[in-house]
Amino acid sequence: MSFKPANNIQDLQYFGEFGGVNPSISDSSTYTFLSAKTMFDTFEGNADGCYLYSRHSSPSNLYLGEALAAMEHTETANVTASGMGAITSTILQLCNADDHIVSSRTIYGGTYAFFKNFTPKFKIDTTFVDITNLDAVEASVTKNTKIIYCESISNPLLEVADIKGLADIAKKHGLKLVVDNTFSPLSISPAILGADVVIHSLTKFINGSSDTVGGVVCGTQDFINHLRNVNDGASMLLGSTMDSLRASSVLKNLRTLHIRMQQHSKNGLYLAQKFENDGLKTVYPGLSSHPSHNLFKSMMNAEYGFGGMLTIDVGSLDKANELMELMQHRNLGYLAVSLGFYKTLFSAPGTSTSSEIPEDEQKEMGLSDGLIRFSIGLDADIERTYKMMRDCMEELDILPTAQKLKVG
């Protein structure tokens, strides 16, 4: 693909109030007006460049939204206080009572719980499908369907969505394709491939320092205007507003995202290849053994690689827990949820980030007890990291018998 998302970010030029190279932070919750009429016009949405109240918008939030829209090649974007704030406001804006959603069955546990347990209160129902089976997706569409929902790279099984194929189905039936691109910023550009709305948890790779919770909805100006509408906008009325100080912090970190994603991807591919060669059941989109490897290659912005997420299956939850505890003890990373940190993070998703999904459904989708999800860090010496991880696996008798030879 010829799209260069990092260039779009770098081409934005902001000046601070006093000529600073970073835009000034709008550290105000409310804004003053020189005339009462301007306040009225701003409430009605007819006063460009004027700010009323920071739940509506603030300069800091709009700077970040503009940069993220440029990255995702959408007309504009709205930042939120969390990734779930982005997801829930989008769904509730697009759906009314008696509407229907077709969703990937392998999605973040919080999103699954929202679809399965929360939206039915408003008579919004969801059918969960194998998103890699386009025939199954289309067969699930009903006259009440409004949305096809997926993650570019699914959490935690790392299934790859055929965004172009899903966009064709959505267009054919007059639906909106909503794509959570949290696992693959820069690597995949869903809007270029036909997605109507692109969502991120900014908490993860985009911010990159595990110190902030945030989200974003990227879409058309018309849709974002609806989200922000003072009378019936879901983002406006549900109040998932990002703080201006946090927006400023995320914007600064966004400018190094291209460098970080290249290193996450480089380290992820190296470890995935080593683990697979050691006989471990390894899932990573960059491996030719991944069932959607070629699909990912056909969609990706190649310079950013296949991402920093991989999984291995060590056979049982007890073994998974032992390995993660030992790796943390050896300073190889943290036994923690979330992803996109400079340090490697690992967790057993069946009992953490996907625990909202019932056990029988976990088994049906292939989420086993022994699965460990890795968010690979920015290690400068990934060869040393691998050797230390392998030592931990040998110590706990996790490696297949044929591979139990010490690395010299």
Side-chain angles (χ1 to χ4, degrees), residues 104-121:
S104 171
R105 63 184 182 179
T106 58
I107 51 175
Y108 168 57
T111 313
Y112 175 91
F114 179 68
F115 287 155
K116 183 74 178 249
N117 305 325
F118 196 88
T119 56
K121 296 179 185 179

Side-chain angles (χ1 to χ4, degrees), residues 33 47 59 174 197 211 265 275 297 313 332 347 384 392:
F33 292 88
V197 180
D211 61 357
S265 293
F275 290 159
K297 283 178 69 175
D313 194 328
L332 286 164
S347 61
R384 182 187 70 154
C392 293

Side-chain angles (χ1 to χ4, degrees), residues 196-244:
D196 297 289
V197 180
V198 183
I199 288 170
H200 284 274
S201 169
L202 302 178
T203 313
K204 314 302 193 301
F205 286 111
I206 287 176
N207 187 58
S209 51
S210 289
D211 61 357
T212 295
V213 176
V216 68
V217 183
C218 304
T220 64
Q221 186 69 58
D222 183 62
F223 178 62
I224 300 303
N225 286 348
H226 283 304
L227 274 180
R228 291 176 177 157
N229 189 286
V230 296
N231 294 307
D232 59 5
S235 185
M236 177 67 65
L237 298 177
L238 294 174
S240 59
T241 307
M242 176 173 272
D243 179 76
S244 292

Side-chain angles (χ1 to χ4, degrees), residues 9 17 21 32 56 96 141 193 199 208 218 235 260 308 324 330 354 359-361 371 383 404:
I9 298 169
E17 184 179 0
V21 295
T32 190
H56 297 205
N96 295 312
V141 173
L193 299 167
I199 288 170
C218 304
S235 185
R260 292 185 281 111
M324 291 187 294
R330 301 273 169 85
S354 297
E359 283 188 27
D360 59 328
E361 293 184 37
L371 193 78
E383 293 87 352
K404 291 175 185 174

